[in-house]
Amino acid sequence: MSADLVLQGIDKTFADTGAPVLRDFSLTVAAGTCTAILGPSGSGKSTLLRVIAGLETADAGTVRIGGHDMVAVAAERRRVGMVFQRSLLFPHLSVLDNIAFSGRVSGVGRAAARARAADYLAMVQLDGFGNRRVHELSGGQEQRVAIARALAAEPAVLLLDEPFSALDAALRGDMHDLLESVRAVASPTIVLVTHDRDEASRVSDRIALIENGVLLTEGTVSEAYRRPRSLRAAQLMGGRNEVPGTVRGAVHHSALGDVPFGSGACEGAGILVIRQEDVVLHRGSAADVPAASVPGVVESARVSGARIEVGVRCGDVLLSAEISPTQPCAVGDRVTLSLPADAVHVVSI
């Protein structure tokens, strides 16, 4: 069912604006894997999906699915399924007949198409809902049916355009679990567009960061968070610590002092980045800390969900850390921050 997807040098400009939406965009998604396209609004994410699906024509570049060039292939023959923010189900059809629609269009008999549709309905955990009408479903149920309908067409590539963004947090979590179970059973090749970092890391194997139509970086979830290729990539992944300095001998020299790092830039100017979750706050002195450490004073502390975001002034540098609410901390406290070498990354300026 699944196939690899290879995009090479995709350019796209809309005539009414004259501004490029995609610029020399190249990306490979291995068969059976899920890549999240993550970026701010207006970065070209949805346009990229439409180019893959054949709903938009690229000005330059190629789209290959399973080794076959799709440039001259009509959208309905590309074996690409797509699920949007809205389910776009047919209101005049039952749930089962919505899912069976692709089979009927391709010439499969009604009974056979409905039998296969029932299998996909079970896959999205909606057994017994086949006779319902669309208006009888909740938002989350509608999206489950939309996914089942897309899978019933047996696409080589499944495109998801922010399909869970209109759901509340609990339902989004349920849909993430559903997508994981669907992947275990059907193993489709998936490209998911989202602006939610947590969603991207929860459901995907790899993350591709896009801004202004340009691919900034692509890699595993861990690489996207902790080994960004640029400062902008680190910022898009929610990193808040940026310390300019100079690299000499795998050590970053800056206003923080000399900090060894695990990976990143070669000799010369570089910016130290470390995830706020990886900064460890100690109430003892630096002598008690078994890693690169800097003393500081707590400048701010605010609750953020199940964590506390702490700002610590270390001389001329303000560092961010996240700590547990069970760890006492107050503005004005003198603390020591440790920066584990394997969590410190340096990007070139």
Side-chain angles (χ1 to χ4, degrees), residues 184-334:
V185 175
S187 192
T189 302
I190 298 175
V191 180
L192 166 72
V193 155
T194 182
H195 61 269
D196 186 330
R197 293 186 298 269
D198 292 337
E199 180 169 86
S201 61
R202 170 69 177 81
V203 304
S204 66
D205 303 301
R206 302 179 73 84
I207 293 176
L209 288 175
I210 182 175
E211 187 174 46
N212 299 323
V214 176
L215 179 66
L216 298 182
T217 185
E218 187 274 341
T220 66
V221 174
S222 178
E223 289 168 343
Y225 272 101
R226 290 183 167 80
R227 298 292 181 264
R229 296 183 185 175
S230 67
L231 179 59
R232 185 55 183 153
Q235 293 169 341
L236 287 175
M237 292 306 298
R240 296 198 294 270
N241 291 317
E242 308 166 6
V243 184
T246 303
V247 173
R248 294 192 303 274
V251 176
H252 186 265
H253 306 271
S254 70
L256 286 181
D258 298 344
V259 179
F261 61 92
S263 67
C266 298
E267 303 282 313
I271 297 178
L272 180 153
V273 293
I274 181 171
R275 297 285 308 179
Q276 52 273 13
E277 304 93 338
D278 293 332
V279 176
V280 183
L281 185 148
H282 303 268
R283 298 187 65 82
S285 66
D288 301 322
V289 180
S293 60
V294 289
V297 177
V298 175
E299 194 169 277
S300 63
R302 66 173 185 176
V303 176
S304 178
R307 305 287 287 172
I308 297 178
E309 297 177 354
V310 181
V312 179
R313 175 64 61 183
C314 305
D316 294 332
V317 179
L318 181 65
L319 289 180
S320 294
E322 288 191 3
I323 63 174
S324 167
T326 61
Q327 186 175 2
C329 181
V331 173
D333 284 354
R334 294 189 174 277

Side-chain angles (χ1 to χ4, degrees), residues 11-64:
D11 288 337
K12 178 64 181 178
T13 298
F14 290 115
D16 56 342
T17 64
V21 181
L22 296 169
R23 293 184 285 172
D24 195 25
F25 193 99
S26 298
L27 178 70
T28 296
V29 182
T33 67
C34 177
T35 291
I37 309 293
L38 181 65
S41 297
S43 59
K45 304 187 300 295
S46 293
T47 299
L48 180 66
L49 289 198
R50 293 177 64 83
V51 168
I52 296 169
L55 302 177
E56 298 284 355
T57 302
D59 302 324
T62 59
V63 176
R64 301 182 71 85

